[in-house]
Amino acid sequence: MLDTYPDRINIDRVQLAGAIDALLACAATCTACADACLSEQMVGELTKCVRTNLDCADICDTTARVLSRHTGYDANISRAQLAAAAMVSGSCADECLRHQRMEHCRICAEVCRAAERASQDLLASMERHRANVHK
Amino acid sequence: MLDTYPDRINIDRVQLAGAIDALLACAATCTACADACLSEQMVGELTKCVRTNLDCADICDTTARVLSRHTGYDANISRAQLAAAAMVSGSCADECLRHQRMEHCRICAEVCRAAERASQDLLASMERHRANVHK
Amino acid sequence: MLDTYPDRINIDRVQLAGAIDALLACAATCTACADACLSEQMVGELTKCVRTNLDCADICDTTARVLSRHTGYDANISRAQLAAAAMVSGSCADECLRHQRMEHCRICAEVCRAAERASQDLLASMERHRANVHK
Amino acid sequence: MLDTYPDRINIDRVQLAGAIDALLACAATCTACADACLSEQMVGELTKCVRTNLDCADICDTTARVLSRHTGYDANISRAQLAAAAMVSGSCADECLRHQRMEHCRICAEVCRAAERASQDLLASMERHRANVHK
């Protein structure tokens, strides 16, 4: 869809599309992982994992939406929201990794880590772009 | 992720996974199409399209979340939300088709139509399942 | 905000505003109730309640958004989404009522019931409006 | 609902409840303002306002959800998301203020400014709390 946008986009389109995909995959996986944790016998030991999954799903969903909009672009908003996505997906990857003997947490940790990296990389590109503009 | 769910799921997992994917693709495409419409010179003629895109994004997002949860499953909730998704994605496909000379609306119409069909098919399977259970 | 909408709205504005408020209160309360259930010692007995809360929060949020849009209004979409909201808030009220010895579930049951009634009443008004238009 | 949470909360409950309410009001108002802008004759001059409203609605919704969860609390996630909310609600207040001859933008600017202040104040309290803990 990025290629059909009728106006200019200030970010590298391939990197941007990669980050949006990684964030959407992370949101969907975290919604499923929260529910799978709920159905485990030992759910009492997984409540922090459920909660972090829920935060991660909401934050990554919202971040993908913000990054999918280019009209009236405001880099400050994208950067702040992307920083929150990098933070939560990193924390959720750490939390799920602690329970990786459960397949849903093992997969979720990987998908979260990929979202964290994509968010950090895009954030770094946006910082470089800002530095160039202000030079 | 469906295969990692530790308990029983009452719906065919392949069909369910297909519907979730179609709904997520529809939500993401509609968010991008609403924004692309906003940046068109003729945005004044596209306001109904933007609005339907926004509804479709919100409804399909929510429906994918509901379908990704299996703990404490209540078929009535899934069916009602799926019916709303079938309705909005069909209406959004129709609306975008009217503007298909714009590439973003042409693609969005296709993705919405696929979500409509996946929602209707899953709904039909759930109705058949209900009929069998009550036989 | 309804009074500032610059065009015509096909629904009674007071009833519409009441339904939107009831749905937003329900979404916020269900998000909090899901989290409060997670922190209870007996979380293992509350997993269906958490799940229904999460569905109810997502569905009521989305329904309030759909009802807050009037541009390019399509009554079929509003009705289908409102029916899903009436269904989930009724189910969530029933589920929370079973755990009403916990204060968060007792309050949540009340707020869900109010959202269910507001959704059903608005749906009935929309049906009457449709019947009049088609007479 | 905050008073029914069965465990400890690390933030002042009155200030937290105020911030959640301000963010929810901001999200609902921005959804309505985006739609009202869409129905204006001069929508072509309001596309940046629509876009910022959509971002602000999504970000403030998500932030209110994150702040409504206390189980497995991670202050880093709350702070990062709250910073994004402060940023977008401030930008949206500025943008709506430019169109305050329209009643929906005038009201929306006020509600966004209140959300910005509540977010900044809560963020400041959380920073002070962190400083005290690490002293």
Side-chain angles (χ1 to χ4, degrees):
Chain A
M1 282 298 285
L2 277 177
D3 287 334
T4 69
Y5 185 74
D7 207 341
R8 215 170 136 246
I9 298 181
N10 278 313
I11 312 173
D12 177 75
R13 291 190 186 213
V14 173
Q15 190 181 21
L16 182 58
I20 293 171
D21 286 348
L23 288 163
L24 290 174
C26 184
T29 307
C30 284
T31 297
C33 190
D35 182 68
C37 287
L38 269 188
S39 79
E40 296 284 355
Q41 293 270 323
M42 54 178 290
V43 57
E45 297 165 48
L46 295 170
T47 56
K48 185 183 170 64
C49 195
V50 173
R51 186 261 156 93
T52 313
N53 275 150
L54 294 177
D55 277 3
C56 196
D58 287 338
I59 292 175
C60 290
D61 250 351
T62 283
T63 310
R65 285 177 166 223
V66 170
L67 294 178
S68 298
R69 298 180 185 126
H70 314 294
T71 305
Y73 176 68
D74 178 341
N76 290 323
I77 297 172
S78 295
R79 272 196 304 262
Q81 188 55 46
L82 205 44
M87 173 62 76
V88 77
S89 53
S91 298
C92 199
D94 293 343
E95 182 61 32
C96 277
L97 207 58
R98 299 181 51 221
H99 315 290
Q100 59 171 317
R101 67 195 170 284
M102 291 174 293
E103 187 72 356
H104 51 86
C105 279
R106 193 189 59 73
I107 294 176
C108 194
E110 282 177 23
V111 176
C112 287
R113 195 66 76 201
E116 182 191 19
R117 277 181 200 140
S119 298
Q120 287 172 337
D121 290 351
L122 184 56
L123 210 45
S125 295
M126 290 172 74
E127 297 291 353
R128 277 195 301 276
H129 186 263
R130 177 164 65 160
N132 283 333
V133 166
H134 290 273
K135 211 154 48 183
Chain B
M1 283 295 284
L2 278 178
D3 287 334
T4 69
Y5 185 73
D7 207 341
R8 214 170 137 247
I9 298 182
N10 279 310
I11 311 175
D12 177 75
R13 291 191 186 212
V14 174
Q15 190 182 20
L16 182 57
I20 293 170
D21 286 350
L23 288 163
L24 290 173
C26 184
T29 308
C30 284
T31 297
C33 190
D35 183 68
C37 286
L38 267 189
S39 80
E40 295 283 354
Q41 294 270 322
M42 54 177 294
V43 58
E45 297 165 46
L46 295 170
T47 56
K48 184 182 171 62
C49 195
V50 173
R51 187 261 157 95
T52 312
N53 276 149
L54 295 177
D55 277 3
C56 196
D58 288 337
I59 292 174
C60 290
D61 250 351
T62 282
T63 310
R65 285 176 165 223
V66 171
L67 293 177
S68 299
R69 298 180 184 126
H70 314 294
T71 305
Y73 175 67
D74 177 341
N76 290 322
I77 298 172
S78 295
R79 272 198 302 264
Q81 188 56 43
L82 204 44
M87 173 62 76
V88 77
S89 54
S91 297
C92 200
D94 293 343
E95 182 60 32
C96 277
L97 208 59
R98 297 180 54 219
H99 315 291
Q100 60 171 316
R101 67 196 170 283
M102 291 176 295
E103 188 70 357
H104 50 84
C105 279
R106 192 187 61 72
I107 294 174
C108 194
E110 281 177 23
V111 177
C112 286
R113 194 66 76 200
E116 182 192 19
R117 277 181 200 140
S119 299
Q120 287 172 338
D121 289 351
L122 184 56
L123 209 44
S125 296
M126 291 173 73
E127 295 292 353
R128 275 194 303 275
H129 186 264
R130 175 164 63 159
N132 284 332
V133 166
H134 290 275
K135 217 161 28 187
Chain C
M1 281 296 285
L2 278 178
D3 287 335
T4 69
Y5 186 73
D7 207 341
R8 213 169 137 247
I9 298 181
N10 279 310
I11 312 175
D12 177 75
R13 292 190 185 212
V14 174
Q15 191 182 18
L16 182 58
I20 293 171
D21 286 349
L23 289 163
L24 290 173
C26 185
T29 307
C30 284
T31 297
C33 189
D35 183 67
C37 286
L38 269 187
S39 80
E40 296 283 355
Q41 294 269 322
M42 54 178 292
V43 57
E45 298 165 46
L46 295 170
T47 56
K48 184 183 171 63
C49 195
V50 173
R51 186 261 157 96
T52 312
N53 276 150
L54 294 177
D55 278 3
C56 196
D58 287 339
I59 292 175
C60 290
D61 249 351
T62 282
T63 309
R65 283 176 167 224
V66 170
L67 293 177
S68 298
R69 297 178 185 128
H70 315 294
T71 304
Y73 175 67
D74 178 340
N76 290 321
I77 297 171
S78 295
R79 272 196 302 262
Q81 188 56 44
L82 204 45
M87 173 63 75
V88 77
S89 54
S91 298
C92 200
D94 293 343
E95 182 60 32
C96 277
L97 208 57
R98 297 180 53 220
H99 315 290
Q100 59 172 316
R101 66 195 170 284
M102 290 174 295
E103 186 72 357
H104 49 85
C105 280
R106 192 188 61 72
I107 294 176
C108 194
E110 280 176 24
V111 176
C112 287
R113 195 64 78 199
E116 182 192 20
R117 277 181 200 143
S119 299
Q120 287 172 338
D121 290 350
L122 184 56
L123 210 44
S125 295
M126 291 172 74
E127 296 293 353
R128 275 195 302 276
H129 185 263
R130 177 164 64 159
N132 284 333
V133 167
H134 289 275
K135 216 158 34 185
Chain D
M1 280 298 283
L2 278 177
D3 288 334
T4 70
Y5 185 73
D7 207 343
R8 213 168 137 249
I9 298 182
N10 278 311
I11 311 174
D12 177 75
R13 292 190 184 211
V14 173
Q15 190 182 20
L16 182 57
I20 292 171
D21 286 349
L23 288 163
L24 290 174
C26 185
T29 308
C30 284
T31 297
C33 190
D35 182 69
C37 286
L38 268 188
S39 80
E40 296 282 354
Q41 294 270 322
M42 54 178 291
V43 56
E45 297 165 47
L46 296 170
T47 57
K48 185 184 172 62
C49 194
V50 173
R51 186 260 157 94
T52 312
N53 275 149
L54 294 177
D55 278 4
C56 196
D58 287 338
I59 292 173
C60 291
D61 251 350
T62 282
T63 309
R65 284 176 166 225
V66 170
L67 294 178
S68 299
R69 297 180 185 125
H70 315 293
T71 305
Y73 176 67
D74 178 341
N76 290 323
I77 297 172
S78 295
R79 272 197 302 263
Q81 188 56 44
L82 204 44
M87 174 61 76
V88 76
S89 54
S91 297
C92 199
D94 293 344
E95 182 60 33
C96 277
L97 208 58
R98 297 180 52 221
H99 314 290
Q100 58 170 317
R101 66 194 171 285
M102 289 175 295
E103 187 71 356
H104 50 85
C105 280
R106 191 187 61 74
I107 294 175
C108 194
E110 280 176 25
V111 177
C112 287
R113 195 65 76 198
E116 182 192 20
R117 277 180 201 142
S119 299
Q120 288 172 337
D121 290 350
L122 183 56
L123 210 44
S125 295
M126 291 172 74
E127 296 292 354
R128 274 195 303 273
H129 186 262
R130 177 163 63 158
N132 284 334
V133 167
H134 289 275
K135 212 153 42 181

